[in-house]
Amino acid sequence: MTHDHPAASERAASRPFGRLLTAMVTPFTADGSLDLDGAARLATHLVDAEGNDALVVNGTTGESPTTTDAEKEHLIRAVVEAVGDRAQVVAGVGTNDTRHTIELAAAAEKAGANGLLVVTPYYSKPPQGGLLRHFTAVADATGLPVMLYDIPHRAGVAIATDTLVRLAEHGRIVAVKDAKGDLTATSWVTSRSDLAIYSGDDAMTLPTLAIGGVGLVGTSTHFTGALTKQMIERYDAGDAAAALALHRRLLPLFTGIFRTQGTILVKAGLTASGLPAGPVRSPLVDATADEIAQLRADCTAAGLDLP
């Protein structure tokens, strides 16, 4: 029995959060407190102007390590209210404490989130059996669909292919944000499970689509969203050449946004553009003049203007 590669229409049905998601920064006021009005305005911009199908809030780009549980809940409510039914809101709830993650998941569900992003427990370096138990416990405790976040260079441990395949058997574990940088491993996951694979690295989006991925959870997409979505749509329509041309055009910003920690440059770019962002919280530091100049150059190289 042979398995044909799923047609675009079939793949559309397997995109639980659409094609394009942005891991949204969390706007702060000048004194570093939460800017909920700014968050609502930024979320509206990302959906209406940049074409995002969903937004991830309280992720690493949203400075989740330095926001309180109460701030996280307020942020979800503000963004859910701002985007309404025009986009989904996926809440980052992952920590390296299973019990705390379950508490955050319950709060996110109550606050109106449409899905959860659950990162590999970081720093603790649990074995695969621990990862299996952690992710299963979180998925068991919620009614929301779950996107796993596989990012070994931050977490210190990868989610093994066999573990992902086993987790895919859970009815609520539906997707992976894949920042592993191992397309062979990802190929095995797409061939052995029905998990929806979203690239977790902007520049890896097109190759990830080529091996069965469905979209992107992006960072540079605060600025490149509309064109990145066009790239994904061109690939899905069978126009690989047009998709490749857009990939090459956007590459300077896909990669340039990570010249330093991504949040720092996104906030600098948003501030320059007159959009809500504010400062970063320590231990991050705001972009230097040189870093902002380089960001402008990277935007220009991608054919995008940064004021």
Side-chain angles (χ1 to χ4, degrees):
M1 180 179 169
T2 59
H3 293 277
D4 293 327
H5 190 74
S9 58
E10 287 178 52
R11 289 174 66 198
S14 67
R15 283 193 179 91
F17 306 108
R19 288 179 170 88
L20 180 71
L21 301 83
T22 291
M24 191 179 104
V25 298
T26 300
F28 298 129
T29 59
D31 68 359
S33 56
L34 191 61
D35 178 6
L36 291 176
D37 288 342
R41 282 195 294 135
L42 179 58
T44 300
H45 169 80
L46 290 173
V47 172
D48 295 348
E50 293 293 350
N52 281 278
D53 301 309
L55 299 175
V56 174
V57 297
N58 298 326
T60 314
T61 307
E63 295 178 75
S64 60
T66 52
T67 57
T68 66
D69 290 5
E71 286 176 325
K72 288 176 172 65
E73 188 174 337
H74 293 320
L75 184 67
I76 295 166
R77 290 185 189 280
V79 173
V80 166
E81 186 177 345
V83 303
D85 59 4
R86 305 191 313 286
Q88 296 190 66
V89 177
V90 179
V93 298
T95 73
N96 57 355
D97 172 1
T98 304
R99 185 170 52 185
H100 187 203
T101 302
I102 289 171
E103 289 170 1
L104 290 173
E109 186 167 6
K110 193 174 170 186
N114 305 105
L116 304 175
L117 179 69
V118 186
V119 71
T120 314
Y122 39 82
Y123 193 73
S124 311
K125 286 194 163 182
Q128 295 299 312
L131 298 185
L132 194 68
R133 183 179 293 186
H134 172 84
F135 290 127
T136 301
V138 177
D140 282 346
T142 184
L144 296 176
V146 171
M147 179 187 292
L148 306 177
Y149 187 5
D150 187 11
I151 182 163
H153 65 273
R154 280 188 188 270
V157 61
I159 312 174
T161 299
D162 286 349
T163 306
L164 286 166
V165 171
R166 286 182 65 186
L167 288 165
E169 295 168 8
H170 196 294
R172 280 184 292 281
I173 296 176
V174 298
V176 180
K177 179 183 177 185
D178 176 18
K180 186 178 268 170
D182 182 347
L183 290 171
T184 304
T186 303
S187 295
W188 280 112
V189 175
T190 59
S191 68
R192 292 176 57 196
S193 79
D194 58 0
L195 288 168
I197 304 293
Y198 290 87
S199 176
D201 177 346
D202 303 30
M204 292 284 267
T205 307
L206 186 57
T208 299
L209 294 173
I211 57 168
V214 302
L216 167 67
V217 179
T219 304
S220 75
T221 47
H222 284 84
F223 314 106
T224 65
L227 288 169
T228 303
K229 189 170 190 183
Q230 195 179 323
M231 177 186 79
I232 297 167
E233 288 172 341
R234 292 320 306 153
Y235 183 83
D236 279 343
D239 192 348
L244 180 58
L246 283 161
H247 165 83
R248 287 176 173 163
R249 172 184 167 178
L250 296 171
L251 204 51
L253 204 50
F254 281 169
T255 58
I257 206 73
F258 300 111
R259 288 179 187 272
T260 183
Q261 204 271 2
T263 308
I264 294 170
L265 291 181
V266 169
K267 283 197 160 182
L270 290 172
T271 299
S273 304
L275 287 162
V280 296
R281 285 182 178 174
S282 186
L284 299 184
V285 288
D286 290 314
T288 64
D290 284 350
E291 286 169 340
I292 294 170
Q294 181 63 61
L295 177 62
R296 281 204 171 88
D298 290 336
C299 285
T300 300
L304 295 165
D305 287 326
L306 191 64

